[in-house]
Structures are given as C-alpha cells and as structure tokens.
Amino acid sequence: MLRFIASAIFLVTFLIIAIPLLLVEWIIGLFSKNVKAYSSLRIVQWAFKVLIKICGIQVTIIGEEHIPDEAVLFVGNHRSIFDTVLTYSRVKRLTGYVAKDSMEKTPLFSAWMRNLNCLFLNRDNPKEGLKTILQAIEYIKAGISICIFPEGGRNKGEELTMLPFKAGAFKVSTKTNCAIIPMSINNAIGIFEQQFPRVKKTHVVIEYGKPIYPNDLEPENKKQIGAYVQNIIQETIQKNSALIE
C-alpha cells in the first residue's frame, strides 16, 4: 500500500507543479512545434521513470535494437495501465499513443497527451474512429511514430492470452508501408491490477520484435496482417513467460 500512496502523491504533485510548464510548452510551440513535442516528451519520460522506480518495477528489455530510426507503428498486447508508462519511458522518437476518447476529458493528463501527439479513439463511432486512423497516418508521414494496443482495451482474461486484434489499427501501416514493431509485454498486470489497489514490486519483460513492412509480406499474410502480428506477439509472450520469476 505504501508504494500506491507514494506513486499517487508523486503523480498529483507532478501534475500540479507541472502546470506552469504547460504554459512554457505552449509558448515554445508558438515558435517550434517540434521543439515543444520533444521537450514535452522528455518531461513526461522523466516522470514515468521516477514512477517506475517508486513502484519498484524491474524491467528486462529485449530487442530494442530492432527499432529503426524512422516513424513506425508499435503494436502491443495490453493488460495494464502501466503498459503505457513502461513503453513510453523508452521511446527515442516522437511517438503518439492511441488512447480511448474518455482520456481526452481528463484534466491536465489530456493536455500533456496532446503535447505528445496522442490521439483519442472513439471505439463506438466508426466515423470518428476512421478520422483518428487517418490522423495517425498523417503523423506517420510527418515522421511521428504511433503506438496502439489493438485488442481494443485491457485484456482481463487469463495470463498469456490476448483478445482478437482490431483490423483497423493496421491501416496506419498498410497505407504508409511503415514498419510494424511487435511489442510483447509480460507480467505488467502484476504491478497493480492483480492486487488492486496495492502496487507490488514486479519483474516485467518487454520484447521488441523485428520490423515488419507490409509490402514485404506474402499476400495472404498481408491480408490477415492483424492475425499475423498477433501470432508473433503471442509466441513471444509465451516464450518470455519463462523469464518471469
């Protein structure tokens, strides 16, 4: 419980103290949107790294060298709110995460998310959802990576399982031929959700797969690209389960 209290205090304190920084970032954005985006990214990454330490999370990273220095589509399995904290703390390029649209109404959080090129997806409105995907495509073309969890929400099922991937998420890559980076996350659910509201010292394994360029795939695999990528992630989380103590 002490870790939960400490992390909650840190988050609230950061969000309050960082209010003036939002004004500074707005001013910076008047002169350079790129500088604003990178400075916002580094500020949020610092906060996430501190949070990871407070929570006592040990992270094993595999395959980070596979990520090319270009705009990519990160695709991962999703079981914990810490999936974003853990992976966002490591990105080197500008990266917008696709979040549920309810996050857009969260004070302060949403302001930082907009600074970071995050997108808000309405899962119940196909027309609005398409707009989000089209915006993500424009971000890729502008050199901004996108991260999405295509299960459509956190999977609360059995360990090492995944919900079916939503096909629409992969249009970001098939329309631009940007690399898809499979992102496999093991045991993040053990940090918080498994024993809510306690935060537990946990070992998490994250593996980044080799880049997948849609145009290099066999026609059948490209047609079923969601299932193709999901199978890679499924095999990886099965393999890496042996690394969890």
Side-chain angles (χ1 to χ4, degrees):
M1 186 60 75
L2 288 177
R3 289 192 183 93
F4 172 78
I5 294 171
S7 58
I9 290 172
F10 171 75
L11 279 176
V12 172
T13 303
F14 169 77
L15 288 171
I16 293 172
I17 292 177
I19 290 174
L21 287 178
L22 286 171
L23 176 59
V24 173
E25 293 295 285
W26 178 78
I27 294 171
I28 292 172
L30 296 177
F31 298 93
S32 173
K33 290 184 178 180
N34 193 59
V35 173
K36 171 187 174 182
Y38 268 109
S39 60
S40 293
L41 174 62
R42 300 313 176 207
I43 290 169
V44 171
Q45 285 185 318
W46 172 83
F48 281 172
K49 288 175 182 177
V50 172
L51 184 61
I52 289 168
K53 288 184 178 180
I54 291 173
C55 293
I57 305 168
Q58 176 193 348
V59 187
T60 296
I61 302 295
I62 303 170
E64 204 165 32
E65 70 279 3
H66 293 151
I67 305 171
D69 186 19
E70 61 193 45
V72 302
L73 176 66
F74 292 101
V75 174
N77 59 305
H78 191 28
R79 288 178 62 79
S80 171
I81 58 173
F82 277 88
D83 294 336
T84 299
V85 174
L86 292 165
T87 57
Y88 222 139
S89 66
R90 304 201 63 86
V91 299
K92 295 177 174 61
R93 296 176 59 93
L94 295 180
T95 304
Y97 275 48
V98 178
K100 56 185 179 182
D101 60 338
S102 59
M103 290 296 296
E104 193 171 13
K105 301 174 184 177
T106 308
L108 299 181
F109 272 112
S110 60
W112 283 107
M113 291 175 75
R114 283 190 288 269
N115 282 1
L116 296 172
N117 300 297
C118 290
L119 296 169
F120 303 97
L121 179 65
N122 186 331
R123 301 189 186 111
D124 300 320
N125 188 324
K127 186 176 180 180
E128 292 301 314
L130 178 59
K131 286 182 181 179
T132 302
I133 296 300
L134 292 175
Q135 182 60 65
I137 290 171
E138 291 305 311
Y139 277 178
I140 290 287
K141 291 178 179 178
I144 301 169
S145 294
I146 293 294
C147 180
I148 194 164
F149 300 105
E151 290 171 276
R154 278 183 285 138
N155 173 21
K156 300 176 182 179
E158 295 295 322
E159 182 67 17
L160 306 182
T161 66
M162 284 189 288
L163 302 173
F165 279 5
K166 308 290 185 183
F170 294 89
K171 292 184 185 298
V172 177
S173 181
T174 56
K175 296 296 184 181
T176 61
N177 197 42
C178 74
I180 298 170
I181 303 296
M183 195 168 62
S184 309
I185 306 170
N186 281 71
N187 205 36
I189 194 173
I191 303 167
F192 182 59
E193 287 84 358
Q194 217 165 46
Q195 64 284 324
F196 174 85
R198 291 188 300 114
V199 172
K200 181 181 177 183
K201 186 177 180 180
T202 306
H203 178 207
V204 176
V205 178
I206 301 173
E207 180 165 348
Y208 298 93
K210 294 180 179 179
I212 301 167
Y213 292 91
N215 290 349
D216 293 342
L217 294 176
E218 296 294 329
E220 185 59 29
N221 288 334
K222 185 177 181 180
K223 183 179 179 181
Q224 303 292 334
I225 194 166
Y228 178 80
V229 175
Q230 182 164 17
N231 185 59
I232 291 173
I233 295 174
Q234 182 69 66
E235 290 179 352
T236 307
I237 62 174
Q238 291 281 353
K239 170 180 68 73
N240 288 343
S241 64
L243 302 178
I244 302 298
E245 298 174 358

